[in-house]
Amino acid sequence: MIQSFRHFIPAFLWALVIFMIISAPASSLPATDKLNIPHIDKIVHFIIFAILGGLMIRGFLLRGSTRTKGVIVSLICGLLYGVMTEYLQHCCLDDRHGNFADVLANSFGTVFGIFLMMVIAFRRSVRKTFPKQ
């Protein structure tokens, strides 16, 4: 049991980092509006949840779980965590605001991270099966 848990340590640590970021007062975060990049906050949400999705599916792949199970569980966990973080910001934090656009960015990021890690895993398995001569 503990041996299989170790594959998920990076995902749990990253989820903790996300929780610390969303729990931090808005005044303590760097100002992103100075970058003049439209919707930079959505891009940040997308990226941090893409990393989470990739780390979760990586844990399942390293553990030896079926790909289908890994994708489904990673997807459900990532989507629920994305919704939960926005709900927490909306209802429990005074100077932070959760919104549906952030939930969408979190969700698309999770899906993208899972997809990207699956592509990487597939390419590695093909290289192992058919090494270049």
Side-chain angles (χ1 to χ4, degrees), residues 43-91:
I43 296 168
V44 170
H45 279 263
F46 180 89
I47 291 170
I48 64 174
F49 275 87
I51 294 169
L52 181 63
L55 290 173
M56 285 189 298
I57 192 65
R58 178 185 171 271
F60 281 104
L61 295 173
L62 291 174
R63 184 178 172 208
S65 299
T66 64
R67 292 178 190 237
T68 304
K69 176 184 176 183
V71 168
I72 291 171
V73 174
S74 297
L75 189 60
I76 290 170
C77 289
L79 296 177
L80 288 176
Y81 194 63
V83 169
M84 183 200 71
T85 58
E86 292 307 312
Y87 180 74
L88 178 68
Q89 283 184 336
H90 181 72
C91 75

Side-chain angles (χ1 to χ4, degrees), residues 5-23 43-59 74 77-78 81-82 84-85 105-106 109-110 113-114 117:
F5 174 76
R6 69 184 166 91
H7 299 300
F8 295 99
I9 291 173
F12 283 119
L13 291 176
W14 188 249
L16 182 62
V17 167
I18 291 173
F19 183 78
M20 291 170 34
I21 291 170
I22 66 109
S23 299
I43 296 168
V44 170
H45 279 263
F46 180 89
I47 291 170
I48 64 174
F49 275 87
I51 294 169
L52 181 63
L55 290 173
M56 285 189 298
I57 192 65
R58 178 185 171 271
S74 297
C77 289
Y81 194 63
M84 183 200 71
T85 58
N106 297 347
T110 299
I114 292 169
M117 189 58 73

Side-chain angles (χ1 to χ4, degrees), residues 61 67 114-132:
L61 295 173
R67 292 178 190 237
I114 292 169
F115 174 77
L116 183 62
M117 189 58 73
M118 292 298 292
V119 168
I120 292 168
F122 175 76
R123 292 187 71 171
R124 285 184 180 167
S125 68
V126 167
R127 277 193 224 132
K128 286 180 182 177
T129 306
F130 304 106
K132 290 184 180 180

